[in-house]
Amino acid sequence: MSRPIVRRRVTSGLLYVGMAATTVFFLFPLLWVLSMSLKSPAELFQSPPALLPQAWAWDNYTTVLQQSPIIRNTLNSLVITAGTMVLSVALATVSAYVVSRMDFKGSKVYERAILACQMISPVILVVALYPVLVKLSLLNSYASLILVYVAVTVPFLIWFMRGFMETIPRELDEAAMLDGCSRFGLFVRIIVPAARSAIVSAAVLTAVMSWSQFVIPFIMLDNSDLFPISLGVLNLQSTGGATTLQYVAAGSVISIVPVVVIFIVFQRWILGALTDGAVKG
Amino acid sequence: MTLTAKTVPRTRAARANARRPRPRRDHPYLWLAPSIVLLVAVFAYPIVEIVRLSFTGANLVGANGDYTLHSWQALGAQGLGSILGITVFFVGLSIVFQMLLGFFIALMLVEAEKRRLVGSVVTRTAVMTAWAIPGVIIGIIWRLLYQESDSGILNYLSSLVGGSSNIPFLSDPHVALVSVTIANIWRGTALTMILCYAGLKTVPNDIVEAAHMDGAAPFSVLRNIILPTVRPVLVVNLIIVTVETLNTFDMIEALTAGGPGTSTQVLALSVYNLVFGQQRLGVGAAFGVVLMLVNVVVVVAYLVIINRGERTRA
């Protein structure tokens, strides 16, 4: 065998080793939690720990589903996520279109403000809003919660959608205008269909961001009936004693499944969204 | 300038011109009104309000409080120094390791794809999954991994390689800060990986091949061809990672809630703890202003350094 071929094989071998190590590093914590969620309390404290449960205790899941409000939390998260997704994507599409196609004095200021918004921690926003929300009795309200979710997701989406709008040829706009199309007609009939792949990406990203959101509901909700999944699982951890670790693990798995499924199904769009944005900067 | 107008024959051009609507009056602010109203209410107002509150003695129970410099004078006594130290450690190590790991994983994946090795999609998905999981759940998962007895998995793995089987991952103040940072690196590496992966795909393959043909060493290819191409992506990435890490709250709240004591209390957590733990809105607001300033200063510093670098290179 010639030397280049040997070197090629050695490099491929090293790449396989590297990929295997990376996969284990990132998947092992998740698999371990999955394993813990199927163990009996005795097994959780057995030393040394066994990789797999002896008898798979699926009833840990039944217990969590029946005795904790996790189903309710999941439904709550779905409602909040869906509301945020619709409003945020609609708002971002319109705003990105305006910024990319209309010439107006304030457009630079608007764009800079959008970038600056992304540097502000949600903790600061909700801390400052809290006294006002108390005064207006807007705590424990999905309407105000969703509006805050929309506000914190929309700057990134506008930035991302704007990048995509630039790739839609302006000739399309001009042809439509020549045909006497109004701005609104142009937006609905030309821009939205042309941007549909970006809209899907934006929707998936918003869903992932809203599902993960924690500090906003943590401060804006104190009625536990309204808690989304992130607060629900945290409650499971803080209310249970040491003997309920298997339930905490099961709750974590339940909360991860939807987002991981969405993520794997839509991976192409997410990767596309983030990569387009990054390369264009 | 329209392409259509140029290519349309004269006679029809005249007709098209007649039909062309008068230069239309756009109303950008009408279109932007909803987003502007929302961003003023949820960003502009809180930013002004947090600065104002920081100059008051406000607390959560009694409303306003009088204007005073007390909150700012109390920063030191409230442990600003140690909080900044903890934040710098957490953010600094997170950035360095996330960027290094993320870059090399991306490099590995792109190289593996070029060679059509099986399994690169699995690896990519595994890394990206870590990023999709809610931060709170990541904190909870790592709490389970860091279980402090010999039945804890990381303690067990440590004993397998000859280490202690009783590492106080979360109960020793110094170890806890390292534990929190490692969990954060696990969480954040994916973002760098995704961005670098995109950047690396734009590196022109023929140039790399040609360099290899000419016998260039892999390291020199990396330094002279790959890094300059992905530089803009690395810059965007550095800014995003820094801001995200500075503002991390969810993962730490679930993993240690800032403890033991205040050993893992980064800036974002201190704002929350002062306001909702101690009801001291004024002091919490002052810490919030510090957090905003740190974000701004770091990002501006990056931009200045980068611009200067660009000028000397040009």
Side-chain angles (χ1 to χ4, degrees), chain A residues 53-116:
Chain A
Q54 265 153 12
W56 294 31
W58 289 105
D59 51 334
N60 287 343
Y61 282 88
T62 354
T63 311
V64 170
L65 290 172
Q66 283 169 357
Q67 294 182 7
S68 80
I70 199 153
I71 295 183
R72 206 199 159 95
N73 298 145
T74 308
L75 294 175
N76 289 343
S77 272
L78 282 177
V79 171
I80 301 169
T81 301
T84 308
M85 205 164 82
V86 172
L87 285 176
S88 204
V89 172
L91 203 56
T93 313
V94 171
S95 309
Y97 166 66
V98 173
V99 176
S100 107
R101 290 300 201 271
M102 294 183 196
D103 278 328
F104 60 104
K105 267 193 202 144
S107 82
K108 267 270 158 316
V109 177
Y110 182 80
E111 278 183 69
R112 294 224 172 107
I114 292 295
L115 286 180

Side-chain angles (χ1 to χ4, degrees), chain B residues 27-93:
Chain B
H27 301 283
Y29 290 108
L30 208 62
W31 288 73
L32 292 180
S35 70
I36 292 176
V37 170
L38 189 65
L39 294 180
V40 166
V42 182
F43 281 93
Y45 167 76
I47 291 170
V48 174
E49 182 65 5
I50 202 105
V51 174
R52 188 189 71 81
L53 284 169
S54 76
F55 290 102
T56 70
N59 58 40
L60 270 193
V61 266
N64 251 330
D66 299 322
Y67 286 98
T68 160
L69 284 176
H70 182 257
S71 300
W72 287 96
Q73 287 157 348
L75 284 184
Q78 292 295 329
L80 179 67
S82 86
I83 289 171
L84 283 179
I86 291 164
T87 308
V88 168
F89 181 92
F90 172 74
V91 175
L93 285 187

